[in-house]
Amino acid sequence: LGCIRYYQEDKDRKYKFKILSLDTANGLVNGDFNATSLWGLDEENNIYLLDLWIDRFKLDQLETQTCSIIDNELPKFILIESASTGISLINRCEKKIYGRVLENNDPRKNTMVVKIKHNSTDKETRCLIANSLISRGLVYFPEKDIERFVKHETKPITVMNELKQEMLIFPKESVHDDAVDSLSQALE
C-alpha cells in the first residue's frame, strides 16, 4: 500500500464526470456487506475516491441510500453488479430516478448511464487492473478518513481503514472483500 496516493479535500476541484460503483449484498446480519463507492475523474484523468459506504443494508435501505447519492452527486456512470440484489436495486432506482428526470426534463436524461456489470473476469484479475492504476499514481484516496456507524457495530468504523485492510489481505485471507469489489469494478 506504499504506492497509494492521497489528496486533501478541495471543494473547487472539478471532475469531468463521476462514477458510482455498487457491490450489493442481501443485507443479512452475518452476510456480506453492501459497498458503494463514488469516484471522480479530473481533467488530467486522475481518479479520486470521493466517498465510500459499507454497511449491511436491506434492499429498501440500499434503494434509499443509492437514490439519495444519485440525486446529490449526479454520477454519469452507475455500475451495479449483476447479482440478484443489484438487478432489483437498479429496477427500483430506475423508476424513481429516471421517472423524476424525465418528468422534469432534467438534462441528465441524456447523460446518465447505468451499467449492470456482468463480470467477465475473476476478482483477482479485476484487482490486478485496479492495482496497475493505483501503482501508476492515477488513483487518489482521501487523506482524511470517513467515519460511519454501521449496523450491529458498537462504534463507528473508518471506511478508508476498512478498505486498506481489505486491500492488504485480499484475496487469501479476506472474509469480506466488498469494498475491494466496489473499487475494482469502478477502476476496471
Side-chain angles (χ1 to χ4, degrees):
L1 294 178
C3 57
I4 289 183
R5 297 180 113 182
Y6 295 95
Y7 71 93
Q8 292 182 348
E9 187 174 350
D10 180 359
K11 300 282 186 200
D12 296 326
R13 185 176 287 119
K14 302 286 186 229
Y15 300 103
K16 292 192 289 190
F17 59 83
K18 292 179 182 176
I19 300 167
L20 186 64
S21 177
L22 295 105
D23 178 65
T24 58
N26 60 24
L28 297 175
V29 172
N30 294 323
D32 282 341
F33 288 90
N34 295 293
T36 303
S37 56
L38 180 68
W39 300 83
L41 184 76
D42 72 6
E43 294 299 325
E44 289 82 37
N45 293 323
N46 294 307
I47 306 161
Y48 293 82
L49 175 60
L50 304 176
D51 213 336
L52 176 63
W53 298 265
I54 305 169
D55 208 334
R56 288 186 176 104
F57 289 127
K58 292 198 179 336
L59 186 56
D60 289 343
Q61 297 165 309
L62 187 59
E63 174 189 354
T64 299
Q65 178 204 37
T66 302
C67 289
S68 174
I69 295 167
I70 292 169
D71 277 342
N72 292 325
E73 298 296 340
L74 310 175
K76 180 174 175 87
F77 297 101
I78 303 167
L79 310 174
I80 300 179
E81 68 175 339
S82 63
S84 61
T85 306
I87 300 288
S88 298
L89 176 65
I90 203 57
N91 289 336
R92 291 170 134 203
C93 285
E94 278 183 332
K95 290 177 187 171
K96 284 189 174 183
I97 299 299
Y98 285 127
R100 203 165 36 248
V101 167
L102 293 174
E103 285 171 13
N104 299 325
N105 278 329
D106 190 308
R108 289 181 287 164
K109 70 180 177 187
N110 296 319
T111 61
M112 192 180 297
V113 177
V114 177
K115 289 188 174 185
I116 297 175
K117 296 289 285 186
H118 302 280
N119 294 318
S120 56
T121 57
D122 59 54
K123 290 181 181 197
E124 289 83 3
T125 302
R126 288 194 307 275
C127 283
L128 286 173
I129 294 167
N131 189 43
S132 171
L133 293 171
I134 294 168
S135 297
R136 291 183 5 230
L138 299 174
V139 181
Y140 290 80
F141 295 88
E143 186 175 80
K144 184 178 178 190
D145 209 335
I146 305 159
E147 280 195 350
R148 290 230 163 72
F149 276 95
V150 176
K151 287 188 306 184
H152 312 295
E153 297 291 334
T154 56
K155 59 183 181 179
I157 65 164
T158 52
V159 291
M160 282 305 303
N161 187 49
E162 185 70 26
L163 174 60
K164 286 179 204 171
Q165 291 304 314
E166 284 188 23
M167 290 168 71
L168 280 170
I169 62 175
F170 181 84
K172 295 190 189 288
E173 300 173 32
S174 55
V175 175
H176 297 290
D177 56 8
D178 313 291
V180 168
D181 282 348
S182 181
L183 174 145
S184 64
Q185 180 173 266
L187 298 179
E188 184 178 27

